């Protein structure tokens, strides 16, 4: 329909159009729905009409992903303005209550184009890490403490312990809920459709990789974390009864290696499905300077991590999505000219476990690889991002080209398509 202002108004969606949970699986339109996804954190940035926006590139990226069977994108919905060098600029939130409407309209444009391609999106609403401002920037606003940049301090343990203070800061939590309401209750300026009625949003996600603190998190810190997940997920459901809600957890690696904590955090009825991430290099399982010597150890631990989380999902009777994993290019190199033999080998191992267990009916519901680099290219000789450079799959706190899958990585793209076909063929 055409509204009085000339905005296209969408007809009310039937419930069947939303992604729903059917026991340990997803369903959409009455069919099994398996996630063949990409992390595309910067999708809303490309959708902006000016400034950092590149709408022509966005359309090309969506078409290219759709062509290889990708049906789901994991996207950053909000970012916080910060002085930290390793954070993206600009940000959707310039200060508490002050939003960059041009960037939010970019998210609207992304959602409008995703709908045309019948893809779905997971939107995450905060970040435990500094690359989008995130929780450490909230603490800067409301405690006056410096926003911590572990790229500078090299002290991740202190960073994690202090950043978890976000969960206990009442003013930060109040503002975080304001931001959640701002996005969840938003009406798309392109389509006229409320986000809460958009069937192409699959899930709201509390944050990217929330953690209870560092690896030595105390019982009190763990209890605060579990309550925070339950409370915030419940709040989102109170605003929007149509969509799923997820945590964004890495799994055991983001739960102080405490399986009981991971289960407790996801047991609540307010969390609809489980998530986990797999990073063999980041977790020192794989040495890219010694790929042959470290491969067996890395793949053994990776297989165990992949399978053990599926078993944890069985215990809770919920689906689980492997929503991040990656490995760097051969060399190791950040150059787009370098080969990806080792990464492709790793991807095949991951895909095979996901597809095989999904075919058996286990609760693994799909994957999102990290990350889509597409047509973006690193601009600087040191491979570090600067404002004005292309966005790629690697956020500004990492070298550009570290984990990105580019549109010229033909062998990787063919491999993704191969397993996309396998997952899409599963019927339940």
């Amino acid at each position: 329909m055409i509204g009085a202002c000339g905005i296209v108004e969408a007809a009310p969606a039937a419930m069947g159009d939303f992604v729903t949970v059917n026991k340990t699986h997803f369903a959409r339109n009455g069919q099994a729905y398996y996630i063949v996804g990409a992390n595309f954190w910067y999708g809303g940035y490309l959708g902006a009409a000016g400034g950092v926006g590149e709408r022509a590139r966005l359309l090309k990226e969506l078409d290219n992903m759709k062509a290889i069977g990708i049906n789901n994108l994991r996207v950053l919905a909000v970012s916080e303005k910060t002085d930290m060098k390793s954070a993206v600029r600009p940000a959707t939130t310039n200060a508490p209550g002050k939003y960059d409407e041009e960037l939010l309209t970019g998210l609207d444009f992304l959602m409008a184009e995703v709908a045309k391609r019948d893809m779905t999106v997971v939107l995450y609403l905060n970040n435990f890490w500094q690359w989008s401002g995130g929780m450490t920037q909230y603490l800067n606003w409301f405690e006056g403490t410096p926003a911590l940049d572990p790229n500078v301090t090299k002290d991740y343990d202190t960073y994690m312990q202090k950043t978890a203070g976000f969960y206990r800061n009442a003013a930060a939590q109040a503002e975080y809920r304001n931001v959640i309401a701002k996005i969840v209750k938003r009406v798309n300026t392109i389509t006229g459709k409320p986000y809460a009625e958009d069937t192409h949003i699959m899930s709201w996600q509390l944050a990217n990789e929330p953690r209870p603190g560092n690896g030595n998190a105390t019982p009190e810190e763990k209890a605060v974390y579990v309550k925070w997940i339950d409370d915030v997920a419940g709040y989102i459901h109170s605003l929007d009864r149509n969509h799923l809600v997820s945590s964004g957890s890495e799994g055991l690696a983001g739960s102080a290696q405490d399986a009981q904590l991971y289960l407790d955090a996801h047991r609540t009825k307010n969390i609809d499905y489980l998530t986990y991430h797999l990073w063999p290099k980041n977790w020192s399982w794989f040495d890219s300077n010694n790929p042959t010597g470290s491969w067996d150890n890395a793949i053994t631990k990776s297989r165990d991590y992949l399978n053990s989380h599926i078993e944890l999902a069985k215990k809770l009777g919920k689906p689980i999505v492997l929503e991040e994993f990656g490995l760097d290019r051969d060399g190791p190199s950040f150059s787009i000219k370098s080969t990806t033999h080792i990464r492709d080998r790793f991807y095949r191992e991951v895909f095979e476990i996901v597809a095989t267990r999904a075919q058996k009916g286990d609760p693994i519901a799909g994957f999102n690889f990290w990350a889509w680099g597409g047509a973006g290219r690193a601009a600087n000789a040191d491979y570090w991002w600067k404002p004005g450079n292309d966005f790629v799959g690697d956020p500004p706190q990492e070298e550009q080209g570290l984990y990105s899958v580019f549109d010229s990585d033909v062998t990787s793209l063919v491999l993704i398509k191969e397993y996309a076909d396998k997952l899409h063929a599963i019927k339940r």
Side-chain angles (χ1 to χ4, degrees):
M1 297 185 294
I2 305 296
C5 298
I7 292 176
V8 178
E9 295 179 354
M15 270 307 294
D17 296 333
F18 292 98
V19 179
T20 58
V21 169
N22 180 14
K23 297 181 180 178
T24 56
H25 300 91
F26 294 135
R28 187 165 184 253
N29 298 326
Q31 309 258 332
Y33 190 69
Y34 282 90
I35 302 304
V36 176
N39 278 275
F40 190 46
W41 65 267
Y42 55 94
Y45 277 75
L46 293 186
V52 298
E54 292 184 73
R55 287 185 168 180
R57 178 186 165 193
L58 175 60
L59 302 185
K60 177 182 176 183
E61 303 291 18
L62 293 176
D63 286 341
N64 286 346
M65 285 189 275
K66 178 75 174 178
I68 60 171
I70 290 172
N71 64 0
N72 180 265
L73 307 173
R74 184 167 174 261
V75 174
L76 177 72
V78 231
S79 51
E80 295 75 31
K81 186 177 181 180
T82 181
D83 292 332
M84 292 182 290
K85 184 180 178 182
S86 62
V88 66
R89 292 171 173 75
T92 63
T93 307
N94 290 317
K98 296 182 179 179
Y99 305 104
D100 185 326
E101 187 58 32
E102 186 173 85
L103 282 182
L104 293 180
T105 302
L107 190 62
D108 294 344
F109 185 84
L110 170 70
M111 292 309 307
E113 292 300 322
V114 160
K116 292 177 184 177
R117 293 157 179 82
D118 198 28
M119 302 164 87
T120 61
V121 175
V122 174
L123 292 172
Y124 48 104
L125 299 159
N126 208 325
N127 198 344
F128 190 76
W129 305 112
Q130 83 280 13
W131 58 263
S132 61
M135 297 179 189
T136 189
Q137 182 54 43
Y138 273 90
L139 292 176
N140 172 250
W141 286 335
F142 293 104
E143 288 186 353
T145 50
L148 293 175
D149 187 346
N151 272 33
V152 175
T153 66
K154 310 300 182 186
D155 184 353
Y156 277 88
D157 272 350
T158 299
Y159 174 86
M160 290 185 280
Q161 192 272 327
K162 290 190 173 180
T163 298
F166 167 77
Y167 310 129
R168 298 185 298 273
N169 185 292
Q173 289 305 304
E175 178 58 22
Y176 172 48
R177 291 195 179 204
N178 290 340
V179 172
I180 289 172
K182 173 78 175 179
I183 302 299
V184 174
K185 295 168 71 174
R186 184 174 176 82
V187 176
N188 190 308
T189 60
I190 308 294
T191 65
K193 176 181 286 188
Y195 274 41
E197 296 176 13
D198 188 343
T199 58
H200 295 91
I201 293 173
M202 172 181 150
S203 172
W204 300 110
Q205 192 160 94
L206 274 58
N208 177 55
E209 299 192 334
R211 291 186 171 196
N214 60 30
N216 298 311
T218 66
E220 180 192 8
E221 288 172 328
K222 292 177 180 181
V224 167
Y225 173 72
V226 170
K227 186 177 188 299
W228 174 80
I229 288 177
D230 186 27
D231 288 350
V232 176
Y235 175 67
I236 296 173
H237 276 303
S238 77
L239 300 176
D240 176 2
R241 300 292 184 185
N242 291 325
H243 290 109
L244 306 178
V245 177
S246 53
S247 69
S249 171
E250 300 152 89
L252 295 186
S255 306
Q257 299 298 332
D258 183 344
Q260 190 60 50
L261 172 62
Y262 180 66
L263 290 170
D264 290 346
H266 295 85
R267 193 183 309 280
T268 168
K269 69 181 189 304
N270 293 319
I271 291 293
D272 295 293
Y273 64 97
L274 287 68
T275 62
Y276 68 133
H277 302 175
L278 175 63
W279 289 108
K281 178 176 177 174
N282 294 9
W283 300 342
S284 301
W285 298 351
F286 179 75
D287 180 357
S288 48
N289 288 301
N290 180 22
T292 303
S294 60
W295 174 262
D296 287 347
N297 175 64
I299 208 63
T300 297
K301 290 183 174 179
S302 294
R303 288 170 181 159
D304 178 67
Y305 197 82
L306 290 168
N307 285 311
S308 64
H309 283 76
I310 298 172
E311 296 307 312
L312 291 171
K314 280 185 181 180
K315 288 186 176 183
L316 294 184
K318 296 181 180 184
I320 187 168
V321 177
L322 177 66
E323 62 172 23
E324 284 189 21
F325 60 93
L327 207 62
D328 50 353
R329 306 175 77 89
D330 299 336
S333 174
F334 308 121
S335 170
I336 199 167
K337 297 177 182 178
S338 59
T339 56
T340 59
H341 300 308
I342 298 168
R343 183 180 71 193
D344 291 347
R345 186 181 175 192
F346 172 67
Y347 269 32
R348 182 174 291 280
E349 289 274 359
V350 172
F351 291 158
E352 188 62 28
I353 287 174
V354 171
T356 299
R357 297 212 57 176
Q359 288 162 349
K360 290 178 179 177
D362 288 329
I364 181 68
F367 65 79
N368 297 77
F369 64 86
W370 186 282
W372 184 260
R377 297 293 184 268
N380 305 308
D382 63 1
Y383 292 97
W384 287 101
W385 184 85
K386 295 176 183 175
N389 294 165
D390 285 353
F391 292 115
V392 300
D394 308 290
Q397 100 286 8
E398 294 175 332
E399 295 91 341
Q400 306 295 278
L402 178 62
Y403 293 125
S404 289
V405 176
F406 294 105
D407 57 6
S408 55
D409 292 337
V410 176
T411 55
S412 300
L413 301 177
V414 169
L415 186 60
I416 293 164
K417 176 68 164 61
E418 176 186 342
Y419 281 89
D421 290 346
K422 290 185 178 183
L423 284 175
H424 293 323
I426 299 174
K427 306 298 181 186
R428 289 264 166 261

